[in-house]
Amino acid sequence: QVQPVESGGGLVQPGGSLRLSCAASGVPLNYYAVGWFRQAPGMGREGVSCISSSNNSTDYADSVKGRFTISRDNAKNMVYLQMNNLKPEDTDVYYCAADEMFRICGLFVYEYDYWGQGTQVTVSS
């Protein structure tokens, strides 16, 4: 079992940057495909980015492509989401999720079994 914990959210101005971190205890995260999702009030969770467990291939939602980068640091047992050129529409609660079964990651909620509690990202002047 893996229990993801997100951190790094906060308030940033449009055009600014944040780096979100996903940590886990007990099990190395490199055993898992890891996805980042976001959710606004009253909306479903949207896949943002993911990184595979097999070959560390990545995928991104069109809305963040070219601005966000997902990566692993296995020595620290963490997965990061570097968010650059942030826009007000990026304001959401961001969730880290982990999956052991799917080695090639996807941006679908059903693929993931283990979820963090979320971290708030607010992009505003």
Side-chain angles (χ1 to χ4, degrees):
Q1 294 182 314
V2 61
Q3 191 170 44
V5 178
E6 309 94 336
S7 63
L11 175 65
V12 65
Q13 294 183 348
S17 298
L18 285 172
R19 188 179 73 168
L20 304 184
S21 299
C22 180
S25 60
V27 179
L29 264 182
N30 64 351
Y31 290 2
Y32 296 83
V34 175
W36 285 98
F37 294 77
R38 62 189 183 186
Q39 185 172 22
M43 304 294 291
R45 290 188 182 183
E46 173 191 17
V48 176
S49 184
C50 67
I51 185 165
S52 299
S53 62
S54 60
N55 60 0
N56 285 324
S57 63
T58 59
D59 199 9
Y60 298 89
D62 288 341
S63 59
V64 307
K65 197 168 297 182
R67 300 189 296 121
F68 291 10
T69 302
I70 191 170
S71 62
R72 294 184 186 270
D73 187 336
N74 292 332
K76 296 181 179 180
N77 198 31
M78 300 184 77
V79 172
Y80 302 108
L81 183 68
Q82 178 67 46
M83 306 186 294
N84 297 326
N85 192 24
L86 284 161
K87 303 175 180 180
E89 52 262 44
D90 295 319
T91 296
D92 278 310
V93 176
Y94 283 71
Y95 298 87
C96 177
D99 167 70
E100 190 173 6
M101 182 175 180
F102 291 90
R103 296 189 177 185
I104 304 299
C105 76
L107 299 177
F108 301 98
V109 170
Y110 76 85
E111 298 179 10
Y112 297 88
D113 298 315
Y114 308 101
W115 293 82
Q117 295 300 305
T119 185
Q120 176 70 49
V121 171
T122 302
V123 184
S124 176
S125 298

